[in-house]
Amino acid sequence: MSLLIKGGLVVDPAQGLEQIRDLLIQGDKIAALEPPGTIPGQGRRVVEAKDLVVAPGLIDMHVHLREPGEEYKETILTGTRAAVRGGFTAVAAMPNTRPVNDTASVTRYILEQAKAAGLARVYPVGAISMGSAGRNLSEYGDQKAAGAVALSDDGHPVANPMLMRRALEYARTFGLPIISHCEDLDLRGDGVMHEGRVSLELGLEGIPAAVEEIMIFRDLALIQLTGGRLHLAHVSAFGSVALVRQAKEAGLTVTAETAPHYFHLTEEAVKGYDTNAKVNPPLRTAADVAAIREGLKDGTLDAIACDHAPHSTLEKDLEFEAAAFGLIGLETSLGLSLKLVHDGVLTLTQLVAKMSTNPARILGVPGGTLTVGSPADVTIIDLNREWTVDVNTFASKGRNCPFNGWSLKGKAVATIVGGKIVSSEQ
Ligand code: DOR
């Protein structure tokens, strides 16, 4: 089977390419990338991509698919359906399932379910510690052999610095990155939103930015000690961006991601006690949003990952203090991120790097480029398609989205995984 994607603006940061090209897919690989009109369409399925962007398949390196164990919130099938609709050809699945993914058998189960779904690729992230309980390391060799691409206790910090030291050392021997959820639980206390003017007004317990910064500082000190590979999850604060910038200047082996809600929303979104805006780390101030945007622009923040965290009404239709942390993002992430391009914060090439090339590099997975011979994972994007976010149309089971009703410009119109069109709106 061969597929010709004709006349699109091919954006491939790995090749420094942003030009009109025809892209030929043969089987499950990229077979040719040539100037327009040079590859014959005869006998091939042709997709017209005039006025569209053709990008390497987007990769979201931080999602919660909730299977096994919480299938009422999301399954691998519904989560990957949401992923491909949102333009993602691959996602990395965090291990805070039930049971926690701390053993090879859970990783294998996730991969089997993903294969049966046949939509986006799923890269399991194994737990750093057994049960993500922060006491004993899990078996990294076994997890890697089963298909885990990184390790994280996401949802929980690794509170004990000695355990984190050993995790960085142990993971290093297997070439696996440690994805750190940076949060000092003692300092967080009973906090439920950012600590500041709005928490005061609402009478809610606050979470200061120092809760995140302290742990980032500790983890940076630990990679200096161990030489391990550290990736920081969901960076949300001004001070955190400054710490990562400084660490990168000093040559430390750190990478970092942020999420669309941290560059579009502030603590104001919590007003009215909207539990859809309850997320951990919390939505912060306009100064934090500005710092996150600056960090994306200057390369301090390598990746945009949405931290898709579906919850049901059982966890969200509650008083604010009792509701679960988390919001969904797979079907809005691209539209919200493209806003940065429309607003002149990022170039298109920078955006594709943060949503495809860099996540592939950080996780050490194939894809993230359209070079000949690469997997045929492609996202076709209409930069000008205007649409309104409506949670009731989502493929995800989650409805916990603070962007409902937003008008966005830019959408994935086709998602191709391994040469197969798995989602199309053309
Ligand atoms: O808001 C969050 N929700 N933050 C996390 O770290 C975990 C996530 C979840 O699993 O619901």
Side-chain angles (χ1 to χ4, degrees):
M1 169 68 187
S2 76
L3 186 68
L4 179 63
I5 304 170
K6 266 177 82 84
L9 177 67
V10 171
V11 179
D12 188 1
Q15 305 184 61
L17 188 70
E18 192 172 327
Q19 265 171 14
I20 307 289
R21 286 278 188 277
D22 286 352
L23 181 76
L24 180 68
I25 291 172
Q26 229 137 25
D28 60 359
K29 294 275 186 311
I30 306 289
L33 189 60
E34 297 292 338
T38 50
I39 306 175
Q42 243 176 0
R44 303 193 154 115
R45 176 158 181 198
V46 176
V47 174
E48 281 297 341
K50 189 172 158 347
D51 299 327
L52 300 176
V53 167
V54 177
L58 304 181
I59 302 172
D60 193 313
M61 61 181 301
H62 190 139
V63 308
H64 299 271
L65 297 179
R66 306 299 191 208
E67 187 179 355
E70 290 181 320
E71 290 84 354
Y72 69 101
K73 294 184 182 181
E74 194 79 289
T75 63
I76 289 169
L77 178 63
T78 59
T80 53
R81 200 176 275 149
V84 298
R85 283 221 200 151
F88 294 96
T89 56
V91 295
M94 286 296 162
N96 61 338
T97 47
R98 294 186 191 181
V100 166
N101 182 12
D102 57 12
T103 44
S105 59
V106 181
T107 287
R108 279 196 293 269
Y109 175 81
I110 291 167
L111 289 171
E112 278 162 22
Q113 293 297 90
K115 195 170 170 204
L119 296 166
R121 297 179 200 271
V122 176
Y123 294 113
V125 176
I128 291 173
S129 64
M130 291 308 289
S132 286
R135 281 188 291 275
N136 305 302
L137 296 182
S138 59
E139 289 285 355
Y140 298 174
D142 284 359
Q143 296 202 57
K144 183 177 179 176
V149 297
L151 298 155
S152 181
D153 275 352
D154 186 63
H156 313 274
V158 177
N160 180 335
M162 178 59 108
L163 194 78
M164 191 59 153
R165 173 190 183 165
R166 295 296 178 226
L168 284 161
E169 289 168 345
Y170 189 31
R172 197 183 148 184
T173 64
F174 296 102
L176 292 169
I178 292 276
I179 302 178
S180 184
H181 167 116
C182 289
E183 183 180 23
D184 185 308
L185 288 182
D186 293 312
L187 188 59
R188 183 182 108 192
D190 296 325
V192 290
M193 71 170 293
H194 179 69
E195 180 175 308
R197 193 178 47 77
V198 180
S199 65
L200 191 72
E201 275 172 32
L202 296 179
L204 293 172
E205 203 74 48
I207 306 174
V211 165
E212 176 173 301
E213 294 155 358
I214 285 172
M215 288 301 252
I216 290 184
F217 190 85
R218 182 204 73 174
D219 285 353
L220 292 171
L222 288 175
I223 51 168
Q224 199 148 24
L225 180 68
T226 61
R229 264 180 67 204
L230 175 71
H231 176 79
L232 301 169
H234 42 55
V235 170
S236 71
F238 180 97
S240 309
V241 177
L243 284 169
V244 179
R245 186 177 290 124
Q246 206 180 11
K248 285 189 164 185
E249 277 164 12
L252 294 188
T253 49
V254 63
T255 53
E257 74 190 32
T258 190
H261 41 281
Y262 300 121
F263 53 77
H264 282 308
L265 297 177
T266 66
E267 55 188 344
E268 298 283 326
V270 176
K271 281 189 171 169
Y273 301 92
D274 182 2
T275 61
N276 291 326
K278 182 174 178 183
V279 60
N280 190 20
L283 305 172
R284 301 194 189 272
T285 67
D288 295 292
V289 168
I292 295 290
R293 288 175 172 229
E294 191 51 41
L296 283 167
K297 196 180 168 80
D298 73 8
T300 302
L301 301 174
D302 306 83
I304 296 173
C306 77
D307 198 359
H308 182 77
H311 290 291
S312 80
T313 52
L314 292 174
E315 293 83 20
K316 282 294 197 181
D317 278 1
L318 299 172
E319 57 192 279
F320 198 86
E321 283 97 333
F325 288 102
L327 52 87
I328 55 170
L330 280 169
E331 287 163 270
T332 49
S333 185
L334 176 60
L336 290 166
S337 301
L338 279 170
K339 226 166 151 27
L340 296 181
V341 175
H342 294 309
D343 293 350
V345 178
L346 295 182
T347 64
L348 204 48
T349 292
Q350 281 178 313
L351 183 87
V352 173
K354 289 176 201 298
M355 297 187 78
S356 178
T357 320
N358 296 347
R361 175 176 50 83
I362 294 164
L363 297 174
V365 300
T369 177
L370 296 171
T371 40
V372 171
S374 305
D377 292 2
V378 183
T379 304
I380 305 180
I381 302 163
D382 184 345
L383 290 182
N384 299 311
R385 172 86 62 101
E386 297 191 11
W387 61 289
T388 303
V389 178
D390 176 2
V391 292
N392 295 314
T393 65
F394 281 178
S396 169
K397 288 191 185 183
R399 295 289 177 264
N400 47 318
C401 173
F403 299 104
N404 197 31
W406 279 42
S407 297
L408 297 178
K409 197 169 141 198
K411 204 173 204 297
V413 291
T415 307
I416 299 167
V417 177
K420 223 174 85 188
I421 301 175
V422 288
S423 178
S424 168
E425 287 198 21
Q426 276 180 311

